[in-house]
Amino acid sequence: MVTALARVRIRGIYATALTKLLIDKGHSIVQPSEKIASRFNIGIDNSPSDVTVKDTDDGDGVVVIGFPSEAREIYDDIVSVIPYTFRSISQVELHSIYLARVEKNTGDTCIVDTGDFKAELTSCREKPGDKVVVGVAKTAVYPGEKISVTRSFRLLGKLVALIHGMQKITFSEHIRDPGLKARLTTLAVSRLMGSNLGVHFRSSARFAEPSEILGEIELLLNEYKKVMSKASEADAPLKLYRGELVGVIGFTSLSKNILDDIRGTVIPTIRGHHSLRSMGLGDIVEAMEHCIVNGCNGDSVSRCIWEYMLARLAEGGVIHIRHVKPTGEALNLTPGRIHRIERSAEEVRVIIKRVISGSGLYDGLGVEKKPGDLDYMVIEPGKPYIVHNYYRDATWLGSYINVNTPPELSVNMVKYHDLLVDVVVAPGKEPAVLDRDELEKAFSAGLIDPQLYEYALKTLEEIAGDPTRYLYNP
């Protein structure tokens, strides 16, 4: 019999696939939705979670957050099964507590050294060399992000968090019932009156018995006393208390295809399920999969929805272009309109016409960018590149072949995950590879997984062999 390793709460568009994956790894799913409980016949277990897995804000991946050892295990289990991902994980735990040493005072702001990192602390009157207890209010998930610290630190339980420096009672957004809030408030006041501490009720508190909540408050109060005693006696810098690990897994189109396959072992799933849902087309996906449940052929339904997308694109509306980078940054390029759609028995080419509005230089071409220039952007669904062909009137200025994961298409959007390297082709010049060092740096930093790195190199090699065959002449 498999022993449950961690208790995981999963929410969002990837919930079915990830529930299957993590159950197979031996983990216990808690606080499942009714739909998930029914699909997996697991019943409703409202125990507090060790780890939460939820969609990123843009729907292109998941955030894994929880107690460090359990969250790291869940993070590793997901990426061990789902390749071709963008990855990043916090090296400093969110809400961890440090005894920091003031390194520099610049008026109202200090630079403090925690031993693991340095950060700014505002409203700081301490002198260099003084000790100060701080909590991590915002961690850095991606390289270059700043870590924010505060005096108002918190100690985390599974049901509540005790807050030093804020004598307030707050609630998770999932706790909405006024009666429940009143009962929880009474519990908190009964135990924390006179402590000068605040309390935040976490989402799992809505399922807990009063005795469990009071027991956890008591436990955290004891931990708080230990932290403050240690802070008064120890030398800085020193980590006083653990927080939560935060990891982000970005799912590319290749990853989403694998997630589709995993979901398909549980319930009928069309090809492109997760891509389409991540672009806001959940209603269409649900309708098509309802047809499969009621006897329609899955492959026929998947082809039907693809033909529907092409028909909608051919109507010529505005196409939004989302360019997702391994660093977590997403660029919304100047939108365009469908110039034409070319079809043969083997392939489809979608050509989007964009009118350039900015100025500057076309990187790598050495040509001035002028408002009114045209970009004929060529997308071949299923192919790992996008080609930008720049023209001024009828004069070709040059082309970029951008290496990326196969683009995801919806009725008004194209989205792709950038693999950083480009091949540039300019009139009268030899083709050149750009930003190979950026790919190497991203891989070395762990932002791109090994499979995606090898995929990028193989694609680059194929394109660099004869880049001119990828260009487009309107």
Side-chain angles (χ1 to χ4, degrees), residues 333-353:
L333 305 188
T334 301
R337 290 183 179 272
I338 295 296
H339 177 64
R340 61 187 300 175
I341 296 177
E342 300 176 347
R343 303 191 65 168
S344 67
E346 293 80 25
E347 62 183 26
V348 174
R349 289 213 305 176
V350 178
I351 296 94
I352 299 172
K353 182 178 179 180

Side-chain angles (χ1 to χ4, degrees), residues 401-461:
I401 306 168
N402 189 83
V403 177
N404 45 256
T405 54
E408 300 169 69
L409 280 170
S410 77
V411 295
N412 61 0
M413 178 184 289
V414 56
K415 176 174 61 177
Y416 53 93
H417 287 69
D418 182 30
L419 298 180
L420 300 174
V421 289
D422 306 293
V423 177
V424 62
V425 185
K429 297 182 180 179
E430 288 294 315
V433 174
L434 299 181
D435 298 329
R436 171 69 183 266
D437 59 328
E438 293 298 316
L439 172 63
E440 299 296 339
K441 284 195 297 185
F443 178 59
S444 296
L447 297 175
I448 294 176
D449 77 7
Q451 295 94 328
L452 204 51
Y453 172 71
E454 293 296 334
Y455 182 85
L457 291 181
K458 181 180 178 182
T459 301
L460 179 62
E461 182 181 2

Side-chain angles (χ1 to χ4, degrees), residues 316-367:
V318 173
I319 304 298
H320 300 278
I321 302 157
R322 189 166 177 82
H323 174 111
V324 183
K325 305 180 97 174
T327 55
E329 183 183 10
L331 305 178
N332 293 310
L333 305 188
T334 301
R337 290 183 179 272
I338 295 296
H339 177 64
R340 61 187 300 175
I341 296 177
E342 300 176 347
R343 303 191 65 168
S344 67
E346 293 80 25
E347 62 183 26
V348 174
R349 289 213 305 176
V350 178
I351 296 94
I352 299 172
K353 182 178 179 180
R354 302 168 61 233
V355 180
I356 303 302
S357 58
S359 56
L361 286 177
Y362 292 109
D363 185 29
L365 293 177
V367 175

Side-chain angles (χ1 to χ4, degrees), residues 256-294:
K256 290 170 189 172
N257 288 341
I258 295 168
L259 287 160
D260 289 348
D261 291 339
I262 294 173
R263 188 181 187 276
T265 66
V266 179
I267 190 170
T269 301
I270 64 167
R271 196 68 170 167
H273 172 101
H274 291 100
S275 285
L276 293 170
R277 288 203 65 189
S278 74
M279 291 188 283
L281 296 177
D283 287 346
I284 293 176
V285 169
E286 188 172 341
M288 294 297 99
E289 290 176 347
H290 183 76
C291 293
I292 300 175
V293 170
N294 285 277

Side-chain angles (χ1 to χ4, degrees), residues 92-309:
V92 174
E93 295 154 13
L94 181 65
H95 301 308
S96 51
I97 303 171
Y98 287 85
L99 179 63
R101 180 177 57 84
V102 175
E103 188 173 88
K104 182 179 180 181
N105 187 303
T106 59
D108 192 45
T109 300
C110 292
I111 304 299
V112 299
D113 180 7
T114 69
D116 290 338
F117 62 93
K118 296 179 182 180
E120 293 183 353
L121 177 66
T122 56
S123 300
C124 179
R125 299 301 183 191
E126 285 83 359
K127 303 183 298 296
D130 286 350
K131 299 190 299 185
V132 59
V133 181
V134 297
V136 176
K138 179 182 179 297
T139 189
V141 177
Y142 293 99
E145 289 185 333
K146 289 182 66 174
I147 298 172
S148 298
V149 298
T150 175
R151 296 176 188 270
S152 181
F153 58 84
R154 58 179 61 192
L155 286 82
L156 300 174
K158 295 183 178 182
L159 305 173
V160 302
L162 293 191
I163 307 173
H164 168 93
M166 186 192 77
Q167 298 179 50
K168 292 172 61 177
I169 297 173
T170 60
F171 300 89
S172 161
E173 62 179 342
H174 301 292
I175 300 177
R176 302 185 182 95
D177 178 63
L180 176 58
K181 286 185 175 182
R183 292 191 295 274
L184 293 175
T185 298
T186 299
L187 283 176
V189 170
S190 72
R191 187 60 192 85
L192 295 174
M193 179 71 75
S195 69
N196 295 322
L197 296 173
V199 63
H200 175 74
F201 285 98
R202 308 189 77 177
S203 61
S204 294
R206 68 193 191 274
F207 303 118
E209 294 294 330
S211 60
E212 295 177 283
I213 293 172
L214 288 172
E216 186 166 90
I217 290 175
E218 192 67 35
L219 178 67
L220 291 175
L221 280 171
N222 289 331
E223 291 290 340
Y224 174 73
K225 291 172 185 176
K226 291 178 184 178
V227 166
M228 299 309 290
S229 175
K230 193 172 184 179
S232 67
E233 298 168 359
D235 294 327
L238 179 68
K239 185 176 181 180
L240 297 170
Y241 197 74
R242 62 100 178 96
E244 292 183 314
L245 179 141
V246 181
V248 176
I249 306 170
F251 294 138
T252 66
S253 59
L254 300 170
S255 308
K256 290 170 189 172
N257 288 341
I258 295 168
L259 287 160
D260 289 348
D261 291 339
I262 294 173
R263 188 181 187 276
T265 66
V266 179
I267 190 170
T269 301
I270 64 167
R271 196 68 170 167
H273 172 101
H274 291 100
S275 285
L276 293 170
R277 288 203 65 189
S278 74
M279 291 188 283
L281 296 177
D283 287 346
I284 293 176
V285 169
E286 188 172 341
M288 294 297 99
E289 290 176 347
H290 183 76
C291 293
I292 300 175
V293 170
N294 285 277
C296 296
N297 178 271
D299 289 339
S300 297
V301 170
S302 294
R303 283 195 300 273
C304 178
I305 198 168
W306 172 239
E307 292 297 333
Y308 170 76
M309 293 298 164

